[in-house]
Amino acid sequence: GALQLNGTARGAVRDLDVKGHVQAENVEFALGTTDVSMDSMTGDAEYSPDGGVAISDSTIRRGSAVLHAEGSLVPHREVSKRGVASYVWDSGMAVNASVELADGAVADVLQIAGQQGVPVTGTIELNAHVTGTLDNMSGGGHVSLTGGVAYGEPYDSAGADLVAQGRDIEANNVV
């Protein structure tokens, strides 16, 4: 595949502020033990040690799946006994994220997520938003599947409202 990054980096290494725009085509990479595949990806991002990571206007495409995502991950500030501030990247970081997907083939979405072996077909729609910290998120959304087969069983439609609280995600109003 091809990857193009246009951006700027300013400041001393320990305080580096990086901003940029990324475009990628036909990307495959390993994420842990999972292989991820994307036809294309675009997005704007910014990083700084105290401000964290912010992503806006990102679009990931695989086949018919077009996933839009934006959000931020911000480290929390700790001050030592000597009054020196540092920023900690752990489960106490602040998160604010949104995703939206309309009329994507389930197989394409599973390839984006690196889950090609899941025996589910059909069309998926998703919208979700979470805020809080990685340890204590709150948010919600909705997911729906139409016209497919799941684990050998055909289905016309399925849907659920999603609720994120703490580290748990619940599905309500499942139909």
Side-chain angles (χ1 to χ4, degrees):
L3 175 70
Q4 180 179 1
L5 175 64
N6 296 312
T8 60
R10 291 195 171 97
V13 171
R14 66 180 162 75
D15 295 320
L16 197 60
D17 186 343
V18 180
K19 296 176 184 163
H21 177 79
V22 65
Q23 287 183 255
E25 301 289 330
N26 300 317
V27 177
E28 291 185 20
F29 60 92
L31 186 61
T33 59
T34 303
D35 292 329
V36 176
S37 299
M38 298 177 216
D39 294 339
S40 67
M41 178 183 72
T42 62
D44 296 317
E46 182 173 356
Y47 162 81
S48 67
D50 59 343
V53 176
I55 297 173
S56 62
D57 297 325
S58 72
T59 301
I60 298 170
R61 297 176 190 273
R62 175 71 181 181
S64 66
V66 180
L67 177 69
H68 298 283
E70 62 183 28
S72 61
L73 193 58
V74 181
H76 61 94
R77 185 174 191 246
E78 289 186 355
V79 179
S80 71
K81 292 179 183 179
R82 295 183 302 169
V84 177
S86 63
Y87 295 89
V88 180
W89 293 70
D90 64 9
S91 59
M93 293 185 294
V95 63
N96 184 354
S98 297
V99 295
E100 182 181 301
L101 171 74
D103 296 325
V106 171
D108 294 333
V109 174
L110 291 171
Q111 286 185 328
I112 291 171
Q115 300 298 313
Q116 294 88 334
V118 178
V120 178
T121 64
T123 302
I124 185 171
E125 292 192 16
L126 167 72
N127 65 61
H129 181 93
V130 295
T131 61
T133 66
L134 291 176
D135 268 343
N136 190 18
M137 288 190 269
S138 74
H142 184 81
V143 62
S144 63
L145 300 167
T146 55
V149 176
Y151 297 89
E153 297 294 326
Y155 66 89
D156 291 326
S157 66
D161 293 328
L162 306 173
V163 176
Q165 191 63 47
R167 290 184 142 199
D168 298 326
I169 298 175
E170 295 178 6
N172 297 315
N173 302 317
V174 178
V175 292

